[in-house]
Amino acid sequence: MNNMNQNNGMQKRMLIMTLVVFVFFIAYEFLVLKPQQEAKAALVKQEQVQKQNAAPDVNASTQMVSTDVNGNPIDMSKSLDALSAKAIASSQIVSVIKTAKNIIEIDTLGRIAQVTLLEEKYKDENASQIKLFEANQLRPLEVRFADINLNTEAFKVPAVASLSNVDATTSTQELVLTQTLSGTVLTKKFTIYPDGHYDLSVNATNDKQFFITNGFRPNVLADMYAVHGFISKLNDNTLKTIEDGDLDKNENITGVKFISNFDRYYATVIYNFEKSLSISLMPDSESNPQAFIHGGSNITFSGFVGPKNHRDLDALNPELIDVIDYGWFTFIAKPMFLLLQFIQGYVGNWGWTIVILTILIKLVLFPLSFKGMVSMQKLKDLAPKMKEIQAKYKDDKQKQSMHMMELYKKHGANPMGGCLPLILQIPVFFAIYRVLLNAIELKGAPWMLWIHDLAEMDPYFVLPILMGATMYIQQKITPNTMQDEMQKKIFQFLPVIFTFFFLWFPAGLTLYWFINNLFTIGQQYYINSVFERKRAEKN
């Protein structure tokens, strides 16, 4: 740098750029993307309702009376579920599988039409057990034949199930689906386990070639906080991720261990770690990735549809943990989650686990934070002398720069010292940000008296307000070397802006930021007191 103005200006620009990018990231999500997604979801549901009203199921009774999975009558004209975009007509279902963790409905074409999660914590905004799929989406285990004529026929001929109800809640069960076509007999043999996963063997006679899909992703929570789309793991252990909206042409992948289409918390997974898979990806009308496995005339694999719970995936196969995608900072986020899970194993409460993890992160990063805080204090103390040099040599930039550098050297100050530690901590922040956003383990996890779900927003806005208040206090006690009044005003409004956005953030993430602010205040207060003592000693 040539002079103090350049040094100071660069520091300010980097700091402002970092904060502005972060604010823009959050603002764009809440003010642009989220309303678009909500409008789109509302439109899809409206279209579904119109279709149901315009073309009622010809096999349904005139009074619209159906039964639930247990055979109990439901008045569909009064049921809110019947108006949902996730409602599946009972006439479409040939078999219902119940495991300890979910209910899997198989439709007339041998596909997974719906999966309902049974664990108590998996409930939607209507307090109903979460259903993973929309009624009109690409369904898991749909088969498409290479022969066009045969494929057309396959979408008209229903499959026959060996059992209409399968109880796999306590023991492994089998189910066979048979679809008899003019040129082949397609057979799907399921082995269903109590934990909700399955093994599947698919066979087509007469050597008819087919493809089979894991379907479009679950559509429960797909937002711009977390990655959602397609991920695959290859034989060389590399991961290939394609986010929704990013696939503009067909693509082939060979040597695949698993594929998954996923939203923030849930996924449809197909895997085979003994014999690799070959995949063709096709974009839908919105450039979302649709995966089709090359089945030949006979293929075997295993599958899972449900929450991306770390322990459940690890129990199926440790490599399936890679289904959980944390984005750019996965290499930091994965070990961070393992630490989070380790602490929770001893503490037993996810809220206090987040508190402890935050403290540990602050302790690890303390040397960086300390260095930055000390640099800011030194620059604050040198501000009067820097102004003198600027005024004295305002017409000679070369001398101004030389005297500034001498001043820095004499007092051990670094004009970039306050900014660089912040920049270096950004990857850690975004890693914990991704961990807390993607961790379905926080779903239904309580903390304190008023937080009943750390994966949801604070219902009384206590944590966001505390976060904003601590951010304001932190700002007040932190040395500010900015001379520009506009920059000062921007920073003064940041606590208000952040509080506003954090009102809707998951409570777990807001808790992290609040605790982080508390310890930053403590660190800053300590540094301030040290410098105050030094000033007092000099005087």
Side-chain angles (χ1 to χ4, degrees), residues 2 55-56 123 154 161 176 189 193 209 221 224 262 267 272 290 294 316 324 367 406 426 443 459 467 496 510:
N2 296 323
K123 289 189 175 181
V176 179
K189 294 182 179 180
Y193 298 87
Q209 305 294 297
L221 187 57
M224 291 305 295
F262 60 94
N272 190 327
Q290 301 177 119
H294 296 224
L316 292 177
I324 306 172
E406 288 177 356
I426 287 177
K443 181 93 176 144
M467 186 280 300
V496 178
T510 312

Side-chain angles (χ1 to χ4, degrees), residues 72-87:
N72 300 315
I74 301 175
D75 186 348
M76 300 295 283
S77 63
K78 297 179 181 180
S79 173
L80 289 175
D81 289 341
L83 301 178
S84 169
K86 295 185 177 181

Side-chain angles (χ1 to χ4, degrees), residues 523-535:
Q523 291 175 355
Q524 188 66 62
Y525 180 80
Y526 169 73
I527 297 297
N528 291 353
S529 63
V530 169
F531 272 79
E532 285 297 328
R533 284 198 301 270
K534 287 183 178 180
R535 293 188 193 105

Side-chain angles (χ1 to χ4, degrees), residues 179-313:
Q179 190 177 30
T180 304
L181 306 172
S182 58
T184 187
V185 176
L186 181 70
T187 306
K188 295 179 180 176
K189 294 182 179 180
F190 286 87
T191 301
I192 302 125
Y193 298 87
D195 63 4
H197 90 280
Y198 62 86
D199 298 331
L200 179 63
S201 175
V202 187
N203 178 74
T205 60
N206 298 329
D207 197 33
K208 294 298 183 180
Q209 305 294 297
F210 64 84
F211 303 87
I212 188 167
T213 180
N214 66 321
F216 188 61
R217 62 166 169 74
N219 195 23
V220 181
L221 187 57
D223 53 36
M224 291 305 295
Y225 300 138
V227 180
H228 52 87
F230 167 87
I231 188 171
S232 62
K233 186 172 186 177
L234 309 184
N235 288 336
D236 62 2
N237 292 322
T238 59
L239 298 173
K240 182 177 181 64
T241 303
I242 301 175
E243 295 189 43
D244 286 345
D246 287 352
L247 185 67
D248 55 5
K249 61 182 179 180
N250 292 352
E251 187 173 336
N252 294 319
I253 311 174
T254 58
V256 177
K257 291 184 177 182
F258 73 67
I259 61 171
S260 171
N261 282 67
F262 60 94
D263 70 0
R264 180 164 156 192
Y265 287 147
Y266 311 95
T268 63
V269 186
I270 285 178
Y271 58 96
N272 190 327
F273 295 105
E274 296 177 359
K275 185 177 180 181
S276 60
L277 307 170
S278 294
I279 311 297
S280 287
L281 291 173
M282 297 174 58
D284 64 9
S285 60
E286 297 179 349
S287 297
N288 299 320
Q290 301 177 119
F292 290 88
I293 302 168
H294 296 224
S297 62
N298 193 316
I299 191 171
T300 300
F301 54 76
S302 298
F304 168 79
V305 180
K308 294 185 289 182
N309 183 288
H310 193 280
R311 285 197 173 98
D312 290 346
L313 292 170

Side-chain angles (χ1 to χ4, degrees), residues 87 251 255 375 413 467 501-502:
E251 187 173 336
S375 293
M467 186 280 300
F501 288 126
F502 269 75

